Amino acid sequence: MSQFFQLLIYGLQLGTIYALVALGYTMVYGIVNLINFAHGDFLMLGAYAAFFTALFAGENFVVCLLLAMATAGLIGVVTDRIAYKPMRNQPKLSALITAMGVSIFIQNLCRALPFIGPIPKAFPTLLESKSIKLLGVTFTSTQLLLIVLAIVLMLGLNFIVNKSKVGRGMRAVSMDRDAAALMGININAVIASTFFIGAALAGAGGVFYGIMYPTLEVSIGSFLGNKAFIAAVVGGIGSIKGAMFGGILMGIIEIFATNLNADIGFGAAYAVLIVILLFRPAGLFGKLVTEKV
């Protein structure tokens, strides 16, 4: 039983990271009906922002986290303005190809930059970790803190979406963009806010992942982005609650499967995706929508 809870803690730690990134996928899709395949790269950029902040300004966890979130958020807004905004009235396939191109561009640009490059870097130690043993289960203060912070960020997003003026604008635009515009809502501002918040959460996920697995390289964005996208689809793309639940579920399943066999753990996410799509095509919390033609 102690091993079960031990693995559960690791699963929650990884799952909350997936959930933070999955939220960005589901928010952008819910607002502009775009699968932003470059979203995982915002995680990578946030992790590098924390790395260079620690390098030049000291290993202060709060400062590194805030600057990582701000950097990723601003890059998300700039990406939307340059690459996605001109494609909003174009066929969905064109926008999808653009998102894939943006992802490839970001990764190769980072590889070409001399201060980043293709060589992996050691992520700094931003938190001093202390072991805690409770009821036969050993975990660290860092694990506990990261899980709690991730949950706080997710609850904060839920508050913004449901209780704030920005959130009301997001919900209105996701329901009917034209009607929202007629009611005086600034569509471009809402979309920019969505990209900023989603990318900022991905940046936080990058910092948490760097602390959990302290090896930083350009490809972590696409690898984790794919897993987080699967989590968003499993939970129900477009559903914030689904993204949270799907991310945590995927993390737990992956850790337990990896404990059985590393190869099984690598493919567990894809197996879960296939099963969910077979029995719940819209995801666990998603709803099938009939389009009139």
Side-chain angles (χ1 to χ4, degrees), residues 250-271:
M250 294 300 296
I252 292 173
I253 290 174
E254 184 173 329
I255 291 297
F256 275 89
T258 302
N259 182 62
L260 296 175
N261 184 286
D263 294 330
I264 295 175
F266 183 80
Y270 303 97

Side-chain angles (χ1 to χ4, degrees), residues 55-73:
L55 190 64
F56 294 107
E59 296 180 356
N60 186 300
F61 172 72
V62 175
V63 173
C64 290
L65 177 62
L66 292 177
L67 283 178
M69 293 178 69
T71 300

Side-chain angles (χ1 to χ4, degrees), residues 2-291:
S2 61
Q3 185 183 18
F4 172 83
F5 286 106
Q6 191 84 60
L7 295 173
L8 183 62
I9 291 172
Y10 284 111
L12 285 172
Q13 186 178 2
L14 181 61
T16 50
I17 295 173
Y18 286 159
L20 287 174
V21 184
L23 284 168
Y25 278 107
T26 207
M27 287 173 65
V28 170
Y29 181 82
I31 299 295
V32 294
N33 290 325
L34 168 70
I35 302 297
N36 180 19
F37 281 112
H39 187 69
D41 298 298
F42 299 153
L43 176 148
M44 178 267 293
L45 293 170
Y48 272 106
F51 172 83
F52 288 112
T53 300
L55 190 64
F56 294 107
E59 296 180 356
N60 186 300
F61 172 72
V62 175
V63 173
C64 290
L65 177 62
L66 292 177
L67 283 178
M69 293 178 69
T71 300
L74 290 174
I75 292 174
V77 173
V78 171
T79 301
D80 169 57
R81 182 61 60 89
I82 295 175
Y84 299 147
K85 186 178 179 181
M87 305 300 296
R88 279 179 199 154
N89 296 321
Q90 301 300 317
K92 292 182 179 180
L93 181 60
S94 299
L96 187 66
I97 294 172
T98 300
M100 296 174 66
V102 169
S103 177
I104 295 170
F105 172 79
I106 291 175
Q107 290 184 43
N108 285 281
L109 175 64
C110 290
R111 285 193 180 94
L113 293 174
F115 53 88
I116 296 180
I119 301 175
K121 301 180 184 297
F123 198 80
T125 304
L126 300 180
L127 292 169
E128 294 295 331
S129 187
K130 296 180 180 179
S131 294
I132 302 171
K133 191 168 184 177
L134 182 64
L135 300 176
V137 180
T138 303
F139 55 94
T140 66
S141 57
T142 298
Q143 287 177 312
L144 183 61
L145 177 62
L146 294 183
I147 292 171
V148 170
L149 281 177
I151 292 173
V152 168
L153 288 173
M154 287 187 277
L155 292 176
L157 172 64
N158 190 63
F159 176 83
I160 289 173
V161 170
N162 292 300
K163 301 295 183 181
S164 70
K165 183 178 179 180
V166 173
R168 287 194 295 271
M170 290 179 181
R171 284 182 283 130
V173 174
S174 67
M175 291 179 184
D176 193 319
R177 190 187 306 181
D178 294 332
L182 291 173
M183 295 300 292
I185 296 175
N186 188 329
I187 304 298
N188 290 327
V190 169
I191 294 175
S193 300
T194 302
F195 270 90
F196 181 87
I197 295 172
L201 291 176
V207 177
F208 295 169
Y209 189 83
I211 293 173
M212 183 178 177
Y213 301 103
T215 301
L216 187 58
E217 56 183 327
V218 173
S219 62
I220 65 168
S222 59
F223 173 74
L224 293 174
N226 289 338
K227 294 291 185 71
F229 174 65
I230 292 173
V233 174
V234 167
I237 192 75
S239 168
I240 290 179
K241 181 169 63 174
M244 295 179 188
F245 182 82
I248 293 173
L249 177 65
M250 294 300 296
I252 292 173
I253 290 174
E254 184 173 329
I255 291 297
F256 275 89
T258 302
N259 182 62
L260 296 175
N261 184 286
D263 294 330
I264 295 175
F266 183 80
Y270 303 97
V272 172
L273 175 64
I274 293 171
V275 172
I276 292 295
L277 291 180
L278 284 174
F279 296 99
R280 293 277 300 179
L284 296 175
F285 291 88
K287 296 180 180 178
L288 292 174
V289 178
T290 302
E291 293 187 7

